[in-house]
């Protein structure tokens, strides 16, 4: 049966650890895994991207495959062709697809009609490839994922939703602090709690950034206005107190690291000085998109 990666929970805890471990190995020799030799992988992007698009293009090439970058406007999808018809056509040419789009339902529908692996490169609901790279980064910095506490401060968006589910599946604590109107998706919280019952992770949702960052090992943030929300810029006014800055970090443990999925809006969700203080971690995180996605593709396409 084909394997998709639409949600971080499409991998079990053991599979996530196995992929991360392999990503660390792949980092040492970029051409060592040729799983995609002779395979054509479509990269369908309905939203902009720097890291995800480049890391997939380079990663597919390094693994011996052919990446095909396909923008939304360049296909008949932009003229209303059905997703399920597009999926059935593409399945006749391609060996796998990576999709960045708006509605999560669209990628689920595509995956139903495309009989080979589908990878979620971000939807409005989830961003699992990002969290996979972040888990690799945390593993490299702390040597483990067990016992880690992650605090996400900012908008309860696709990245926050994925952190919650990842914590539940892998079994580490996640605390998400957002303004009251911008809490994470109830569906993501429900799924996270369901997994956490088995793994023992603590899942906490709060409107208090100080509560979230206390005892956290990783303080994480993302933009306040995500792609597709350009008309909601006034929402930023509700985020006062939710910036990762020196003042907030006073409440965190001394060894805590700060992470950001990028792109960053310095002066909004993160202060420039804190961004620069943790730039090495943040750009390692960006680099690990390449390695962790290669390890993921090796797992899905073997
Ligand atoms: N973090 C991330 O997904 O970046 P891009 O939007 O540049 O792909
Ligand atoms: N939450 C952001 C993540 C960007 C990588 C967005 O969806 O725009």
């Amino acid at each position: 049966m084909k394997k998709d990666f639409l949600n971080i929970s499409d991998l079990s805890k053991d599979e996530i650890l196995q992929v991360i471990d392999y990503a660390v190995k792949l980092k040492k020799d970029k051409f060592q895994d040729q799983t995609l030799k002779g395979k054509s992988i479509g990269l369908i992007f309905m939203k902009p991207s720097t890291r995800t698009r480049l890391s997939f293009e380079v990663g597919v090439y390094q693994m011996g495959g052919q990446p095909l970058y396909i923008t939304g406007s360049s296909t008949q999808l932009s003229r209303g062709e059905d997703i399920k018809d597009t999926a059935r056509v593409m399945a006749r040419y391609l060996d796998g697809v990576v999709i960045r789009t708006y509605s999560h339902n669209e990628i689920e529908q595509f995956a139903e009609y495309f009989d080979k692996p589908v990878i979620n490169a971000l939807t409005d609901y989830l961003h699992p490839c990002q969290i996979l790279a972040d888990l690799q980064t945390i593993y490299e910095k702390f040597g483990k994922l067990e016992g880690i506490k992650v605090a996400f401060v900012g908008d309860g968006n696709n990245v926050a939703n994925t952190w919650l589910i990842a914590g539940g599946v892998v079994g580490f604590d996640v605390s998400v602090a957002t303004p009251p109107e911008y809490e994470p998706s109830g569906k993501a919280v429900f799924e996270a709690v369901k997994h956490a019952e088995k793994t023992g992770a603590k899942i906490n949702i709060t409107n208090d950034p100080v509560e979230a960052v206390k005892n956290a090992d990783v303080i994480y943030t993302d933009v306040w206005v995500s792609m597709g929300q350009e008309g909601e810029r006034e929402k930023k006014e509700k985020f006062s107190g939710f910036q990762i800055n020196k003042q907030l970090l006073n409440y965190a443990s001394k060894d805590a690291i700060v992470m950001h999925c990028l792109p960053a809006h310095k002066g909004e969700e993160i202060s420039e000085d804190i961004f620069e203080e943790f730039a090495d971690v943040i750009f390692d995180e960006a680099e690990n998109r390449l390695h962790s996605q290669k390890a993921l593709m090796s797992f899905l396409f073997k």
Side-chain angles (χ1 to χ4, degrees):
M1 208 175 95
K2 70 140 174 175
K3 293 189 209 118
D4 294 323
F5 185 64
L6 307 187
N7 188 330
I8 192 84
S9 60
D10 286 340
L11 299 185
S12 65
K13 173 182 178 169
D14 285 351
E15 287 166 345
I16 291 172
L17 298 178
Q18 184 190 320
V19 167
I20 290 170
D21 198 50
Y22 190 47
V24 174
K25 290 198 181 98
L26 285 179
K27 213 165 173 169
K28 295 185 187 124
D29 173 5
K30 57 181 163 187
F31 294 111
Q32 66 184 280
D33 186 314
Q34 292 293 299
T35 298
L36 298 183
K37 192 160 188 292
K39 294 199 185 336
S40 297
I41 310 297
L43 311 177
I44 307 170
F45 279 69
M46 313 297 275
K47 290 175 173 172
S49 170
T50 299
R51 283 144 286 271
T52 311
R53 182 246 173 120
L54 283 171
S55 53
F56 269 111
E57 276 209 53
V58 171
V60 170
Y61 161 74
Q62 289 180 355
M63 293 173 77
Q66 175 198 29
L68 292 135
Y69 177 58
I70 305 159
T71 60
S73 58
S74 68
T75 68
Q76 297 286 6
L77 278 169
S78 65
R79 297 180 61 251
E81 186 167 13
D82 273 357
I83 290 174
K84 56 188 185 186
D85 293 351
T86 306
R88 284 181 285 188
V89 169
M90 288 191 176
R92 302 291 176 109
Y93 312 132
L94 300 171
D95 300 290
V97 289
V98 173
I99 303 181
R100 169 169 287 195
T101 191
Y102 294 86
S103 151
H104 196 73
N105 288 340
E106 284 172 14
I107 198 170
E108 286 179 335
Q109 199 187 0
F110 193 102
E112 201 182 323
Y113 286 88
F114 187 86
D115 56 1
K116 295 159 199 178
V118 177
I119 297 176
N120 179 357
L122 180 148
T123 61
D124 291 345
Y125 178 48
L126 296 174
H127 195 4
C129 289
Q130 179 65 52
I131 298 325
L132 203 55
D134 296 337
L135 292 177
Q136 181 190 344
T137 312
I138 293 170
Y139 181 73
E140 287 172 344
K141 305 288 170 205
F142 292 93
K144 57 172 188 175
L145 295 178
E146 283 80 14
I148 291 289
K149 180 186 166 188
V150 175
F152 181 102
V153 178
D155 184 29
N157 61 18
N158 41 13
V159 173
N161 292 338
T162 316
W163 267 120
L164 288 165
I165 299 172
V169 171
V170 176
F172 57 83
D173 296 351
V174 183
S175 190
V176 171
T178 71
E181 291 157 72
Y182 299 105
E183 284 167 0
S185 142
K187 187 176 159 195
V189 176
F190 182 81
E191 187 183 347
V193 169
K194 193 183 69 184
H195 294 298
E197 279 165 11
K198 289 190 205 123
T199 58
K202 284 200 205 94
I203 302 296
N204 181 48
I205 311 295
T206 175
N207 303 128
D208 179 2
V210 172
E211 178 192 326
V213 303
K214 269 189 188 153
N215 305 317
D217 304 290
V218 176
I219 320 273
Y220 198 104
T221 192
D222 180 21
V223 291
W224 290 338
V225 178
S226 284
M227 289 180 279
Q229 299 182 333
E230 287 75 13
E232 299 172 42
R233 290 192 201 283
E234 75 288 349
K235 83 187 248 204
K236 288 181 191 172
E237 288 158 25
K238 308 273 173 58
F239 284 78
S240 143
F242 287 84
Q243 183 186 75
I244 307 289
N245 55 26
K246 265 206 176 90
Q247 205 185 342
L248 186 60
L249 289 189
N250 279 335
Y251 296 97
S253 92
K254 276 196 195 65
D255 302 324
I257 59 169
V258 172
M259 297 178 74
H260 194 308
C261 58
L262 301 174
H265 286 87
K266 296 164 206 170
E268 293 184 9
E269 74 275 2
I270 190 164
S271 64
E272 178 132 24
D273 57 338
I274 294 299
F275 182 91
E276 291 305 334
E277 190 178 328
F278 290 94
D280 285 350
V281 179
I282 292 168
F283 292 106
D284 279 355
E285 220 184 319
E287 179 189 333
N288 283 339
R289 295 296 304 276
L290 172 64
H291 311 300
S292 57
Q293 287 160 193
K294 284 173 70 184
L296 172 70
M297 288 190 286
S298 183
F299 174 79
L300 296 178
F301 287 90
K302 255 191 189 129

